[in-house]
Amino acid sequence: MSRRLAASVGFLAASSFASAYAGDRELGAYLSNECVACHQISGHVTGGVPRITGWPEENFVAVMNSYKDKHRENPIMQTIAGRLADDEIAALAAYFGAVTSQSSAK
């Protein structure tokens, strides 16, 4: 493979990777109700339920896909993640990534 072709393939792969995480925050806000039933929007950890606000989007997507693919153990999260499409996971990642303990949720 020529260097130019390899560089083009690398650029396209990187562009696809970046766009996979470009979620719609408004959709994420709409979908977040089920999440915040257990996870605190304030970012506080309660009862062993971890914080999901302020994460880098790619980390959120990776964790949710791990639940979806049943690589991470938690039947509740496996069920929830299993119902979500890739664009919905990306939307939730964008929304929760933008929420900090000092910012408003909406």
Side-chain angles (χ1 to χ4, degrees):
M1 183 182 308
S2 75
R3 287 184 187 193
R4 179 176 280 170
L5 180 59
S8 296
V9 169
F11 175 76
L12 289 174
S15 297
S16 296
F17 180 78
S19 67
Y21 297 112
D24 178 347
R25 281 190 196 160
E26 287 184 31
L27 175 60
Y30 174 76
L31 296 171
S32 70
N33 288 332
E34 186 173 22
C35 304
V36 299
C38 297
H39 298 274
Q40 300 296 308
I41 196 71
S42 66
H44 295 134
V45 176
T46 45
V49 178
R51 172 180 70 82
I52 60 172
T53 57
W55 287 21
E57 292 179 40
E58 58 273 8
N59 292 5
F60 187 98
V61 169
V63 168
M64 290 299 288
N65 283 326
S66 291
Y67 283 122
K68 188 174 186 173
D69 297 337
K70 298 189 185 321
H71 295 292
R72 289 180 82 119
E73 298 276 332
N74 185 306
I76 294 168
M77 287 304 302
Q78 288 173 347
T79 299
I80 292 168
R83 293 190 313 243
L84 294 170
D86 291 343
D87 65 324
E88 293 171 323
I89 291 173
L92 287 165
Y95 173 70
F96 285 116
V99 174
T100 64
S101 58
Q102 292 82 29
S103 73
S104 166
K106 302 275 178 183

